[in-house]
Amino acid sequence: MTTPPRTLAEALRARDDESLAGLLRARPDLLSPVPGDITQLATRAGTRASVVRALEHLDRFALQTAEALAVAPDPAPYDVLLGLLTGDGQDDGRHRGDADAAIVAALPGALGTLREQALVWGEDDRLRLVRTARELLSPSPQHPSPTGLGPTVAEATAGMSPGRLQEILQAAGLPATHDPVSAVSALSALFTDRARMGELLDTAPVEALAVLDRLVWGPPYGEVTPNPTPPVKWLRDRGLLLPVSTRTVVLPREAALHLRAGRAHRVPEPQPPAVVTVAERDPQAVDSAAAGQAFLAVSTVEELLKSWNGGGPAMLRAGGLSVRELKKTAATLDVSEPVAAFWIELAYAAGLLASDGEADERYAPTPAYDDWTELPAQDRWVELASAWLAATRTAGLVGGQDAKGRALSTLGPELDRSAAPEVRHRVLALLAALPPGTAPDPESVLARLRWERPLRGASASAGETTDLRSRIALWTLNESELLGITGRGALASQTRALLSGGPAEAAALLAPLIPEPLDHVLLQADLTAVAPGPLERPLADMLGVLADIESKGGATVYRFTPGSVRRALDAGQSAADLHAFLAAHSRTPVPQPLSYLIDDVARRHGHLRIGAASSYVRCDDEAVLNEILADKRSATLRLRRLAPTALAAQIDPASLLDGLREMGYAPAAESADGDVLISRAGAVRTPPRSAPVPVPEGPPVPDPTLLGAAVRAIRAGDTAATVVHKETGPSTTTGALPRTTSAETLVTVQAAAMTGSAIWIGYVNAEGAASQRVIAPVRVEGGYVTAYDHTADEVRTYPLHRITGVAELADDQT
């Protein structure tokens, strides 16, 4: 007959290796560092930080099971636990058969989860919640129980005078006792006896019952005056309200459970809430809508980084982007500020955007951006989507405040939330579980997430008072639509492939849905050009310099202005080049007004030359210089005439260029040799930068190799204290080091690593000191053995040539 475990360590020691590996997989924090033995593992599993982390990963019903055990007797039989979850069936005569059946079916699984994570141990007739979890979930005035139950009669009457206890017994109609212990037992027995408790409550005033109704589901504490009202006095005299302090009373647990019909929770939730659907759409329409948005996402990120091609905005001293620059970027992209923050953070997470690291630090595209732009559109989208899925940076926080009341800025240092990747994946997994083309109700998704991780709703940083996981989930749904993860609210096929099949499969599904780039535009007589779809890159780049984007959507409208034409001329194009470019790429004849505009700007372009004096203006036409000097708007330029065809200014050339252009002129910059300077965009790049590393939520889940080695080391640690080795020769009986050949040593060590067994070795260190050690080999390679050393209680690496010999442990120690 198996002896029931007396401690958590004994319960863990009785587990098989697979069960121990499951515990370490579910609670990876227990592996840092690897425990020396089972006792150390049990001690670490009972620490407050580790238990809190484990409780946070429980679903609602597993947590409700733990909460019920926290208010149950210790230890508690399975039937008592089941009764706390289902009640005694007499709650207002309502039939709860279906709900109780669901609880009965779900309880073994919840209890199995708690046992696997070492939060509960013991057989079904003696279930024990680990002490730290009981303390965390038990009620107190400072931290009420999640069940809403108060302390037991014994806990609430601790320190009460014997005379007062006898008064309560007398008022409750119970016989007097000889000591306080028996008095408390008698009162507890009354409250747990349904028949006698019912008779007592039948005599209670209606107002007293109303008081109990307010306290029964929690919180169980109430304030009283020195002269309580008659209903409160009636309850207090009979022990139905017990004093906690001079002004506070509590409803004892036993009385509350009677009023609740034995249930610890008002609404047990054994089953997760279903995700409700709001629409069923054609899957092909969903995929097409998502593909269109995916292409728009790629185009928007490209447009964002193009706008920062010549050097982006400056970084704030505390890090991040200023509100003014965010508004400017939002205007450039023609989106709202929160959406602009999302695109900026997405580009940053994908490694396409970073700070340049200069003294006057600014943001700019990275070299990886140039490689990204050369990829097909579907591959660019896959990179963006993958970066979004893994990123811990949370754009939705932008505009909020941190714990110190400071505003959270785009690209700032306080936007990482380690829960974000897990929430995103979970939201998309819920959508993937629905039939293709099905759009869920967001509120039902949030309800499901709250059921799965009820304790993880706590904020990730001080100052965040709302359910952070729910906020991240809502942001995930919104961002999924922006990024083309979903289409019309339903998960797209390419996203399903990305989650299950990988990037290559997702790109293959997306490619046919993305429109082919066009090599032409339609020129209009009103100085506009219409691009009926995405343009080939050289065409789009050139048109982006020659014209300004006026509107975007299914078709992009470009507008030609004197400023945009001048920009193309500044970039080194001639009027003839521009005429030839438009004629080659327009499906309609080049309108005469556009030809006149190009010729007019080209004729005036470079008529004025700007150089460095501080700066100067040079022009062969003296009348033009006279006109500039006479213009009142030139006063800020502080010009003076040096010669009939030259003016000097006391500002830098760039400011002088801008000033004259605002006055309607088309000056050109020139070098010291008098040659026109050509300005070309896209020259600014940061040094090579890697994408930001996501902030982990906790220790990573160990791989099977590490789990196996850790379990073998923990098992072997239990034998390290008392080791008996097999004699390998006469020398071992005298306490000398075991002696084996090099080949025998290597074979024995490799066999021990494969079987996970512990061995005894003789070892000589670099100083020549000899010692005997018990090790559990994990890996043998390159002339070294890595093993858990039970003598030193740590993992060490030993050169094989310094091992003088090996001996197997005795059978009763292996």
Side-chain angles (χ1 to χ4, degrees):
M1 182 176 178
T2 305
T3 303
R6 295 168 298 174
T7 63
L8 176 61
E10 289 186 4
L12 294 178
R13 192 170 287 115
R15 293 188 178 193
D16 57 25
D17 288 355
E18 185 178 351
S19 179
L20 276 183
L23 167 61
L24 298 176
R25 188 183 300 107
R27 298 176 64 178
D29 58 292
L30 301 180
L31 276 175
S32 184
V34 176
D37 53 29
I38 294 291
T39 301
Q40 189 177 12
L41 173 64
T43 301
R44 193 176 296 172
T47 59
R48 184 180 181 88
S50 182
V51 170
V52 168
R53 189 177 293 113
L55 290 174
E56 287 181 343
H57 284 81
L58 296 178
D59 62 49
R60 188 175 297 281
F61 188 63
L63 183 62
Q64 286 182 332
T65 303
E67 292 166 353
L69 279 173
V71 297
D74 187 26
Y78 184 90
D79 290 342
V80 171
L81 172 61
L82 181 60
L84 285 170
L85 292 169
T86 60
D88 54 23
Q90 301 183 34
D91 48 340
D92 302 329
R94 290 175 294 177
H95 179 65
R96 303 180 66 250
D98 293 342
D100 290 350
I103 293 173
V104 171
L107 183 55
L111 203 54
T113 298
L114 296 174
R115 277 182 169 137
E116 180 188 23
Q117 300 197 24
L119 295 171
V120 169
W121 58 278
E123 301 299 327
D124 281 356
D125 58 341
R126 294 178 62 84
L127 295 171
R128 291 183 181 273
L129 187 67
V130 294
R131 183 175 59 185
T132 307
R134 178 175 288 273
E135 293 172 353
L136 289 168
L137 299 175
S138 293
S140 69
Q142 294 76 25
H143 303 285
S145 167
T147 62
L149 291 170
T152 62
V153 171
E155 293 167 343
T157 57
M160 184 178 289
S161 67
R164 176 61 185 140
L165 283 172
Q166 297 302 320
E167 291 175 1
I168 292 176
L169 293 181
Q170 182 179 3
L174 298 175
T177 62
H178 298 288
D179 58 84
V181 175
S182 58
V184 170
S185 298
L187 192 59
S188 299
L190 170 64
F191 291 163
T192 54
D193 187 316
R194 174 157 291 278
R196 290 195 294 158
M197 187 64 169
E199 293 174 358
L200 177 62
L201 292 177
D202 286 342
T203 65
V206 176
E207 295 83 357
L209 295 177
V211 173
L212 293 178
D213 286 342
R214 289 198 296 269
L215 300 177
V216 63
W217 290 107
Y221 297 92
E223 290 190 2
V224 296
T225 60
N227 296 313
T229 60
V232 173
K233 187 175 186 303
W234 189 94
L235 294 170
R236 191 179 64 177
D237 289 346
R238 288 156 182 78
L240 291 170
L241 292 179
L242 294 173
V244 176
S245 64
T246 56
R247 298 182 60 86
T248 305
V249 293
V250 65
L251 176 65
R253 185 182 306 169
E254 294 87 344
L257 284 173
H258 171 85
L259 296 168
R260 296 178 175 197
R263 285 186 285 135
H265 299 87
R266 175 177 284 185
V267 183
E269 299 182 54
Q271 299 297 330
V275 176
V276 179
T277 60
V278 294
E280 295 184 4
R281 301 185 170 95
D282 180 10
Q284 291 184 350
V286 168
D287 294 346
S288 297
Q293 194 61 39
F295 184 81
L296 181 59
V298 170
S299 302
T300 303
V301 171
E302 187 172 353
E303 182 183 355
L304 164 69
L305 296 177
K306 273 185 179 180
S307 68
W308 291 5
N309 236 357
M315 177 189 290
L316 294 173
R317 184 178 302 175
L321 205 63
S322 68
V323 175
R324 182 181 63 181
E325 293 293 348
L326 178 60
K327 290 181 177 180
K328 181 179 177 181
T329 302
T332 300
L333 300 180
D334 193 22
V335 296
S336 64
E337 292 170 31
V339 173
F342 167 69
W343 294 124
I344 294 171
E345 286 289 344
L346 178 62
Y348 178 66
L352 308 178
L353 170 67
S355 61
D356 58 14
E358 300 294 334
D360 182 18
E361 206 161 5
R362 308 182 77 85
Y363 292 104
T366 64
Y369 165 68
D370 297 315
D371 298 332
W372 180 77
T373 56
E374 298 301 321
L375 297 173
Q378 60 269 20
D379 292 329
R380 282 184 277 161
W381 177 82
V382 166
E383 287 199 9
L384 293 180
S386 300
W388 174 75
L389 282 170
T392 55
R393 294 189 62 81
T394 310
L397 295 170
V398 172
Q401 293 185 336
D402 63 9
K404 298 182 179 179
R406 296 173 300 194
L408 296 173
S409 59
T410 310
L411 299 178
E414 302 294 333
L415 295 184
D416 282 294
R417 296 295 180 270
S418 56
E422 187 261 335
V423 174
R424 291 192 191 108
H425 279 87
R426 188 59 196 140
V427 168
L428 297 185
L430 291 175
L431 269 63
L434 299 174
T438 303
D441 175 23
E443 286 302 321
S444 67
V445 173
L446 298 185
R448 178 64 169 266
L449 290 177
R450 294 190 191 104
W451 186 91
E452 292 178 349
R453 294 290 186 270
L455 289 184
R456 297 308 302 275
S459 62
S461 67
E464 292 176 2
T465 57
T466 58
D467 185 343
L468 179 63
R469 281 176 62 87
S470 293
R471 296 169 66 198
I472 293 176
L474 283 175
W475 293 331
T476 297
L477 292 172
N478 294 333
E479 292 168 1
S480 295
E481 201 71 17
L482 284 173
L483 190 51
I485 297 289
T486 58
R488 302 178 65 186
L491 197 67
S493 298
Q494 52 267 27
T495 307
R496 295 175 186 269
L498 180 63
L499 295 175
S500 58
E505 185 177 342
L509 288 176
L510 181 61
L513 302 176
I514 291 182
E516 289 292 330
L518 303 176
D519 62 354
H520 66 273
V521 294
L522 305 175
L523 295 179
Q524 307 290 320
D526 60 351
L527 297 180
T528 62
V530 177
L535 300 177
E536 293 179 346
R537 180 165 304 283
L539 174 57
D541 289 343
M542 183 59 195
L543 201 58
V545 175
L546 179 58
D548 298 323
I549 296 178
E550 188 170 80
S551 66
K552 294 177 291 185
T556 304
V557 178
Y558 294 85
R559 177 163 294 280
F560 300 94
T561 66
S564 67
V565 174
R566 190 261 314 152
R567 187 169 61 229
L569 296 173
D570 285 345
Q573 300 293 323
S574 66
D577 295 334
L578 298 181
H579 286 302
F581 168 80
L582 293 175
H585 293 94
S586 176
R587 286 291 177 87
T588 58
V590 178
Q592 193 176 52
L594 179 56
S595 299
Y596 286 167
L597 174 65
I598 293 173
D599 292 338
D600 182 60
V601 174
R603 184 173 54 255
R604 294 184 292 112
H605 184 262
H607 195 49
L608 295 175
R609 299 292 185 90
I610 306 297
S614 292
S615 58
Y616 63 83
V617 182
R618 181 170 65 84
C619 182
D620 294 335
D621 190 343
E622 296 183 27
V624 173
L625 296 183
N626 292 334
E627 181 182 339
I628 293 174
L629 287 175
D631 195 323
K632 294 181 179 180
R633 293 176 295 174
S634 69
T636 57
L637 305 180
R638 292 179 289 177
L639 299 170
R640 60 186 178 85
R641 188 182 291 274
L642 293 178
T645 59
L647 302 177
Q650 299 181 38
I651 58 175
D652 61 273
S655 299
L656 184 55
L657 276 169
D658 292 339
L660 289 176
R661 285 169 180 166
E662 289 177 1
M663 294 172 62
Y665 296 94
E670 71 176 11
S671 67
D673 298 327
D675 299 324
V676 174
L677 293 176
I678 298 174
S679 59
R680 298 188 185 274
V684 177
R685 290 291 182 270
T686 69
R689 294 276 194 270
S690 58
V693 178
V695 177
E697 190 174 11
V701 177
D703 58 47
T705 303
L706 176 58
L707 280 176
V711 170
R712 292 196 297 269
I714 293 170
R715 290 290 191 199
D718 275 355
T719 66
T722 56
V723 177
V724 178
H725 62 274
K726 292 180 179 179
E727 296 183 359
T728 57
S731 62
T732 63
T733 62
T734 62
L737 296 174
R739 296 286 179 178
T740 55
T741 65
S742 299
E744 292 173 333
T745 297
L746 179 60
V747 169
T748 305
V749 170
Q750 287 177 332
M754 293 177 62
T755 60
S757 58
I759 57 176
W760 182 63
I761 67 169
Y763 180 73
V764 179
N765 64 17
E767 287 75 30
S771 61
Q772 302 177 15
R773 298 181 176 276
V774 176
I775 66 172
V778 176
R779 183 172 61 249
V780 182
E781 61 183 11
Y784 291 85
V785 54
T786 301
Y788 179 78
D789 189 327
H790 297 287
T791 310
D793 194 23
E794 63 182 6
V795 176
R796 289 185 173 179
T797 300
Y798 297 99
L800 284 171
H801 69 274
R802 292 191 177 278
I803 297 177
T804 59
V806 295
E808 297 178 354
L809 299 182
D811 291 337
D812 58 348
Q813 298 293 327
T814 57

